[in-house]
């Protein structure tokens, strides 16, 4: 399918088709959690829902296909992404949001693009998607979830910093490669606070 203009109903149906059942439930959870955060913090509710619905649209594409899409469309793959191609679902997802799902809003595209690593100087919508991805109701494993869920409705920057900190600790514990952007984002928000 290729949409000329982003249509939330059509995109929801497309996600149900393209994602596995668990990922689709997670996606709905991110979309409505992002909508609630948008209400709470004065962001555009429909943009939050749209970005939430699409943030993982490339998650169920296998790694070799993701790498192929990047090659074909000149999307830069860094060393860490080359070794951990699942990270590319954010870049490939933002590309598909534009090309396949008809999203034109730059902020929505960037919220999809930066939802895994974050970036220094995120917009309110980018923060909302990053946080909603971590706290949506189907998430159960992360530590401090109850506290971070409460914090998300009080202070976006403090919630963001706590998630970044817990993510870095988790990645170090499992000895996973850390994307330079994840570290840069943490360093930036540590200074902001
Ligand atoms: O796609 P989701 O699972 O919904 O969520 P996501 O896109 O935020 O990806 C979550 C995973 O990404 C989580 O296990 C932490 C991991 N991650 C975040 N930053 C980095 C990272 N993994 C590696 N290897 N390096 C990073 O810098
Ligand atoms: Fe993701
Ligand atoms: Fe997600």
């Amino acid at each position: 399918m290729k949409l000329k203009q982003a249509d939330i109903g059509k995109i929801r149906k497309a996600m149900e088709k393209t994602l596995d059942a668990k990922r689709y439930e997670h996606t709905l959870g991110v979309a409505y959690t992002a909508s609630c955060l948008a209400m709470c913090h004065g962001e555009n509710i429909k943009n939050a829902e749209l970005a939430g619905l699409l943030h993982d649209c490339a998650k169920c594409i296998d790694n070799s296909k993701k790498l192929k899409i990047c090659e074909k469309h000149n999307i830069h793959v860094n060393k860490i992404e080359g070794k951990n191609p699942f990270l590319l679902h954010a870049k490939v997802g933002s590309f598909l949001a534009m090309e396949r799902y008809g999203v034109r809003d730059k902020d929505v595209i960037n919220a999809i693009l930066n939802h895994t690593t974050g970036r220094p100087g995120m917009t309110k919508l980018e923060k909302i998607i990053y946080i909603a991805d971590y706290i949506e109701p189907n998430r159960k494993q992360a530590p401090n979830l109850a506290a971070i869920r409460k914090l998300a409705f009080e202070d976006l920057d403090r919630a963001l910093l706590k998630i970044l900190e817990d993510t870095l600790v988790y990645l170090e514990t499992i000895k996973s490669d850390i994307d330079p952007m994840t570290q840069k984002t943490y360093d930036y928000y540590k200074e902001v606070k």
Side-chain angles (χ1 to χ4, degrees), residues 23 26 56 59 89 115-116 133 139 171 176-177 179 182:
R23 185 59 48 180
H26 161 71
D56 274 342
K59 190 80 180 185
H89 77 278
H115 86 265
T116 303
D133 194 17
R139 294 283 202 207
L171 292 173
S176 191
D177 295 317
D179 190 290
T182 305

Side-chain angles (χ1 to χ4, degrees), residues 14-113:
M15 291 306 105
E16 190 173 11
K17 263 195 177 171
T18 189
L19 300 173
D20 62 48
K22 217 174 147 210
R23 185 59 48 180
Y24 179 60
E25 286 305 313
H26 161 71
T27 290
L28 294 181
V30 174
Y32 59 69
T33 302
S35 303
C36 294
L37 287 170
M39 288 179 199
C40 178
H41 295 291
E43 180 51 89
N44 183 300
I45 298 168
K46 284 291 157 201
N47 279 355
E49 186 180 1
L50 184 60
L53 278 176
L54 282 169
H55 83 286
D56 274 342
C57 69
K59 190 80 180 185
C60 294
I61 298 175
D62 62 38
N63 284 338
S64 61
K65 177 126 192 254
K66 279 200 287 285
L67 286 162
K68 259 190 214 151
I69 294 173
C70 289
E71 200 180 330
K72 185 165 173 204
H73 299 282
N74 287 318
I75 299 168
H76 178 70
V77 178
N78 72 29
K79 243 198 216 156
I80 304 285
E81 290 166 337
K83 270 176 71 186
N84 304 272
F86 83 91
L87 287 168
L88 288 170
H89 77 278
K91 279 184 182 173
V92 173
S94 69
F95 172 77
L96 294 178
M98 279 187 281
E99 295 302 316
R100 186 180 293 174
Y101 300 110
V103 177
R104 295 281 162 268
D105 189 298
K106 260 266 153 242
D107 202 18
V108 173
I109 301 290
N110 284 333
I112 300 167
L113 178 63

